[in-house]
Amino acid sequence: MRSMDLPQIMRSVTRLLLVEDSEDDEALVLAALRRSELSIEHRRVWNRAMLAAALEEKCWDVVISDHNMPQFDSMEALKMVKASDPDMPFILVSGAIGEETAVAAMRSGAQDFVMKHSLGRLGPVLVREIGEAGIRRSAQLATQHLRVNEALLNSIVNTAADGIAVINASGSIEFANDALARMLGYGSQEMAGVDISQLLHQNAATASFWQDLFSAGSGSTGKPADLQTHARSRDGNVMPVEIRASRMDARGNPKATVVVRDVSERAHSEERMWRLAHFDELSGLPNRLLFRQLLEQALRDASRSNKPVAVLFIDLDRFKRINDTLGHDAGDDVLREVTARLRSCLRDSDIISRFGGDEFVALMRDIDDADAARSAAKRVLAEVAEPYSLQGEDYHLSASIGISTFPGDSIDADALLRNAELALYRAKDQGKNNFQFHSPQMNARSFEHVVLERLLRRAVELDEFLIHYQPQVDVTTGRVVGAEALLRWNHPGMGMMQPGKFIPLAEETGLIVPIGRIVLMRACAQAKAWQDAGAKGLRISVNLSPRQFALTELVADIRNILEDTGLAPDSLELEITESMVMENPEHAASILQELRDLGLMLAIDDFGTGYSSLGYLKRFPVNTLKVDRSFIKDLPEDPDDAAITHAVIAMGHSLRLIVVAEGVETIEQVEFLRLHGCDLMQGYLISKPMPAADMTRYLELRDMLTSRSRAGVTGDLLR
């Protein structure tokens, strides 16, 4: 394309080759260009063959390419375009290109890249690059004909945006255009005779570049050569530049045309992209990639100095509730505050990284022994535990920390990080808000953890779960009023797995969400089947996990399950623990009210083991209290348990709540509960949890016994 100024480009028809597999994105690109008042003729291609055929026509002004296409990407398209025409403007358009990919594309010859959410830039970028391409082509053409028409060359090169010079074999400038003079702070006539080496940063690469350029034999013309270096202006400013030089021989007198481009803006952009690729934008801390590089360097240094290194893996406890209740902006504020606190309680020489979410990792170099890491961990726990003022209220967090050391735990960076993370899991298992050092035994537990997680995921896929049911009976009449649905996992090779072994892992991995939905669906369907068979009024109780309770779609999901199974809402009772609702009482009260508005029954499980507050019971719309089995097992002999159980029953009744005793195993316990007015009970005395078929037979048997006298009820319970 010939050199044109902006008005000419706007008036002319631009021939666009669009490498794009999506018709929708094609429409977006064309719409953006039309908004820039450009007249466009285009063709869309979307594979190698189509692009190769289009390039054969040699009629295009510019190429715009999407980054990701099926079996074809922008880097391959760029290579084909530059092979066909090195000066063809190539603009990359993408919706999700990585910073490193963008830098690589620019270095491979792409002129610019535009994100799809910023297509307003596309028109100005296209106009600029078409104009510069025309200038480049004109400059090259003028160089080839310099001996024939030097006046034409001067006219062209002095309108170019890039600096252009002609130098002789000794490096002396014979001609420089106005752009180069302005770039370097000289007058238009002052550059003649200046040695180009005075204007460029001198090193071995620069010296070799000029030597190679003029080393060919007399009369030969070399291919264009490129160099990235720094230029020094007259006032001492240094700027990064790209140089393209082409040798030409005129009657045995070798010369070279040199095009100098100021790439300061590009260098700044690359620096910014490098920072984005290596630092966490929110906290300003090194990210996982950079931290690993720094850790590897620290280990190399430590190997020479024989000084220990410690890695502290830090995870915030209960941070999710901040995001869930106050929003991500408040969560970001907390993370920035945590960053400042970590810096305050670690040494200036220590490196802190944010790995993502609420995970931070600290690197302590040149420590004397493990006590330094222990002291640092204590300071971190204390600092993180200080209150956070958010939206006028104080919120409290804690941290769990895992520590590994070099050379004791490993001499490998990845192993050190992995061991510190294992120690973190151990700290979480120990109740959180503590730190743990790595030990060899953790590796064995970790292997077991990984194997169990793999088996658990497979169990979800293959539906290896069972639901067992434990009856709930009226303490006074012995009538079966409900059943609690309890999850069981029957692994084909290992048999029945204990819930305490796999449910915490399911909660940790998030698998409890699909598993919990399975339990809800099957339990509701089974309860409806029992009701249809004659068990009128039978209520099914299902435990909710903390992960399920935190789901925004929980209420809608339960509504759909009830509709799908046909179970009446008041026949479903959801059991939640004290700790779940006390994590965020305001949020919990709102969710519980939505569930009550559906018509569901709500129970507080394991009451007495946590907060046990009459105040919060008054705030929450619950129907049932379940007295924890730990207070029932020693009744009536233990006076403390007797007093607590009596008090819970009385408190529940004062709030018009149904009180259920769990873990009933003796007749004496039954008599105590009846004496103190407990409403319902469940436990091994009545029945162990059983499969649905056994529960069906149990209900049939109990139905036969409901007409017995009160004196006979106790005997029935022993059957």
Side-chain angles (χ1 to χ4, degrees):
M1 181 177 181
R2 64 186 182 280
S3 175
M4 294 189 294
D5 57 15
L6 178 60
Q8 289 175 306
I9 294 172
M10 300 296 286
R11 289 194 300 269
S12 64
V13 175
T14 299
R15 294 161 297 181
L16 165 64
L17 180 57
L18 180 61
V19 186
E20 172 61 68
D21 63 314
S22 167
E23 293 183 356
D24 292 339
D25 286 348
E26 173 190 19
L28 289 174
V29 168
L30 293 177
L33 295 177
R34 292 191 184 102
R35 285 195 294 271
S36 299
E37 300 182 357
L38 290 168
S39 179
I40 300 293
E41 290 182 359
H42 85 289
R43 181 188 305 173
R44 181 171 69 92
V45 299
W46 57 86
N47 58 41
R48 298 178 191 85
M50 296 176 71
L51 177 59
L55 292 174
E56 286 291 330
E57 298 179 15
K58 306 286 186 184
C59 64
W60 308 106
D61 296 318
V62 64
V63 176
I64 296 177
S65 176
D66 189 11
H67 176 55
N68 281 320
M69 293 165 285
Q71 301 178 345
F72 192 54
D73 63 21
S74 62
M75 297 302 289
E76 188 172 355
L78 174 60
K79 186 182 297 183
M80 293 175 64
V81 170
K82 292 303 177 181
S84 173
D85 184 352
D87 291 305
M88 173 69 68
F90 187 99
I91 301 171
L92 185 61
V93 174
S94 176
I97 188 172
E99 300 288 351
E100 293 183 357
T101 302
V103 171
M106 298 285 281
R107 288 175 173 168
S108 298
Q111 270 63 44
D112 208 333
F113 71 96
V114 177
M115 303 304 289
K116 286 185 178 177
H117 61 72
S118 301
L119 284 177
R121 291 186 56 239
L122 187 56
V125 168
L126 184 142
V127 170
R128 183 195 70 210
E129 294 304 329
I130 289 176
E132 291 191 5
I135 291 171
R136 288 195 300 273
R137 288 173 174 142
S138 297
Q140 291 172 1
L141 180 63
T143 299
Q144 296 168 6
H145 296 87
L146 180 60
R147 292 175 299 169
V148 179
N149 198 338
E150 188 172 341
L152 177 60
L153 172 65
N154 289 336
S155 173
I156 294 172
V157 298
N158 278 317
T159 62
D162 292 335
I164 300 175
V166 177
I167 66 171
N168 56 32
S170 64
S172 180
I173 296 176
E174 295 187 353
F175 168 82
N177 71 345
D178 293 341
L180 183 61
R182 287 193 302 271
M183 184 188 304
L184 299 176
Y186 289 83
S188 57
Q189 305 300 320
E190 293 181 305
M191 298 198 67
V194 175
D195 193 316
I196 197 167
S197 64
Q198 298 177 18
L199 307 175
L200 302 177
H201 175 67
Q202 292 301 302
N203 55 28
T206 307
S208 175
F209 177 80
W210 299 117
Q211 182 178 354
D212 293 344
L213 187 66
F214 288 105
S215 64
S218 177
S220 65
T221 301
K223 294 181 179 179
D226 297 318
L227 174 68
Q228 292 197 13
T229 185
H230 287 79
R232 184 171 52 254
S233 67
R234 194 174 199 173
D235 58 7
N237 288 332
V238 176
M239 69 195 78
V241 294
E242 284 183 352
I243 292 177
R244 167 162 283 200
S246 298
R247 173 182 164 161
M248 59 183 179
D249 282 347
R251 302 187 186 90
N253 183 21
K255 299 180 186 294
T257 57
V258 180
V259 179
V260 182
R261 170 171 289 187
D262 181 356
V263 293
S264 299
E265 184 176 348
R266 182 188 301 176
H268 175 72
S269 177
E270 290 180 0
E271 180 182 354
R272 180 179 63 86
M273 287 187 283
W274 183 90
R275 183 166 183 83
L276 287 173
H278 291 84
F279 285 84
D280 173 56
E281 189 171 5
L282 174 67
S283 64
L285 298 175
N287 63 11
R288 183 189 297 264
L289 174 65
L290 181 57
F291 181 86
R292 191 182 181 283
Q293 295 171 1
L294 296 172
L295 176 58
E296 288 178 338
Q297 180 60 53
L299 296 184
R300 287 192 292 269
D301 295 342
S303 297
R304 291 189 293 269
S305 65
N306 292 320
K307 280 281 194 177
V309 168
V311 173
L312 282 66
F313 211 115
I314 305 163
D315 185 80
L316 302 181
D317 303 323
R318 301 186 306 277
F319 173 74
K320 187 176 183 297
R321 73 186 180 101
I322 299 290
N323 276 340
D324 290 344
T325 58
L326 301 181
H328 288 277
D329 288 343
D332 289 348
D333 289 341
V334 169
L335 292 174
R336 281 187 281 265
E337 175 65 22
V338 169
T339 298
R341 295 187 186 188
L342 292 178
R343 283 182 169 138
S344 72
C345 59
L346 293 169
R347 304 172 303 173
D348 291 341
S349 59
D350 296 333
I351 296 171
I352 310 170
S353 169
R354 179 176 175 233
F355 272 28
D358 57 357
E359 290 182 343
F360 295 83
V361 182
L363 167 61
M364 300 183 68
R365 297 173 292 189
D366 297 329
I367 59 176
D368 294 327
D369 51 38
D371 284 339
R374 180 179 288 105
S375 298
K378 290 179 179 178
R379 291 194 299 271
V380 169
L381 292 178
E383 282 290 333
V384 172
E386 290 295 317
Y388 299 82
S389 180
L390 300 169
Q391 300 178 8
E393 299 287 341
D394 283 347
Y395 287 79
H396 293 268
L397 294 175
S398 60
S400 299
I401 305 174
I403 306 172
S404 64
T405 59
F406 166 93
D409 292 322
S410 178
I411 59 173
D412 175 73
D414 289 333
L416 272 180
L417 283 169
R418 185 168 58 251
N419 291 340
E421 191 169 10
L422 290 176
L424 168 67
Y425 294 147
R426 176 64 175 166
K428 294 278 190 183
D429 291 341
Q430 294 298 309
K432 304 179 181 179
N433 194 26
N434 72 96
F435 64 89
Q436 296 289 325
F437 281 86
H438 176 261
S439 66
Q441 291 77 15
M442 289 182 184
N443 288 326
R445 285 196 298 271
S446 173
F447 179 74
E448 180 184 359
H449 186 281
V450 170
V451 171
L452 186 60
E453 180 179 347
R454 186 168 65 246
L455 293 176
L456 189 59
R457 292 186 184 278
R458 183 173 176 82
V460 174
E461 296 173 3
L462 300 181
D463 193 12
E464 295 175 353
F465 297 105
L466 304 173
I467 311 297
H468 284 191
Y469 300 88
Q470 187 171 43
Q472 295 177 341
V473 303
D474 188 297
V475 173
T476 302
T477 67
R479 183 174 62 90
V480 179
V481 298
E484 181 178 358
L486 298 167
L487 178 66
R488 298 292 184 264
W489 176 16
N490 188 18
H491 185 270
M494 294 183 288
M496 198 69 73
M497 305 280 283
Q498 292 298 316
K501 187 177 182 65
F502 70 87
I503 288 181
L505 178 61
E507 184 74 29
E508 176 188 332
T509 59
L511 291 171
I512 196 66
V513 173
I515 294 173
R517 194 178 191 284
I518 291 173
V519 175
L520 270 169
M521 177 65 77
R522 290 185 183 173
C524 289
Q526 184 61 64
K528 183 66 166 69
W530 284 327
Q531 290 179 354
D532 292 344
K536 303 299 183 183
L538 183 76
R539 184 170 62 248
I540 195 75
S541 296
V542 180
N543 292 278
L544 276 186
S545 77
R547 287 253 191 170
Q548 288 177 283
F549 192 66
L551 291 174
T552 56
E553 64 271 20
L554 173 66
V555 177
D557 204 23
I558 291 175
R559 182 188 296 112
N560 292 335
I561 289 174
L562 292 173
E563 291 176 355
D564 291 343
T565 60
L567 185 69
D570 60 0
S571 295
L572 173 61
E573 182 175 70
L574 298 179
E575 297 188 10
I576 55 178
T577 63
E578 293 180 84
S579 60
M580 286 165 56
V581 295
M582 293 308 293
E583 281 284 325
N584 186 340
E586 296 298 330
H587 178 69
S590 173
I591 297 300
L592 292 176
Q593 188 59 55
E594 288 188 60
L595 293 171
R596 285 289 292 127
D597 291 343
L598 280 182
L600 274 63
M601 304 286 285
L602 299 174
I604 297 292
D605 195 13
D606 300 335
F607 188 79
T609 61
Y611 299 88
S612 307
S613 166
L614 181 63
Y616 87 74
L617 279 178
K618 291 172 59 179
R619 294 172 55 194
F620 298 144
V622 298
N623 310 94
T624 304
L625 283 186
K626 298 192 74 175
V627 185
D628 187 70
R629 66 184 67 248
S630 63
F631 301 113
I632 303 297
K633 68 183 181 67
D634 292 327
L635 289 179
E637 290 82 5
D638 189 303
D640 292 334
D641 286 347
I644 292 172
T645 303
H646 182 199
V648 171
I649 294 172
M651 181 174 64
H653 286 165
S654 70
L655 295 174
R656 296 183 295 280
L657 302 178
I658 299 169
V659 181
V660 182
E662 295 184 295
V664 176
E665 297 183 354
T666 69
I667 294 176
E668 290 77 16
Q669 291 168 355
V670 175
E671 293 300 332
F672 179 91
L673 295 172
R674 181 186 293 121
L675 177 65
H676 291 88
C678 185
D679 301 296
L680 306 177
M681 60 184 172
Q682 66 183 89
Y684 280 12
L685 181 67
I686 297 95
S687 174
K688 292 182 178 181
M690 57 187 126
D694 293 345
M695 181 69 182
T696 300
R697 289 190 289 271
Y698 179 88
L699 289 172
E700 293 170 352
L701 175 62
R702 298 297 300 197
D703 188 52
M704 294 169 55
L705 301 175
T706 52
S707 60
R708 297 253 180 127
S709 66
R710 180 179 178 184
V713 170
T714 301
D716 290 340
L717 294 175
L718 297 176
R719 294 180 184 274

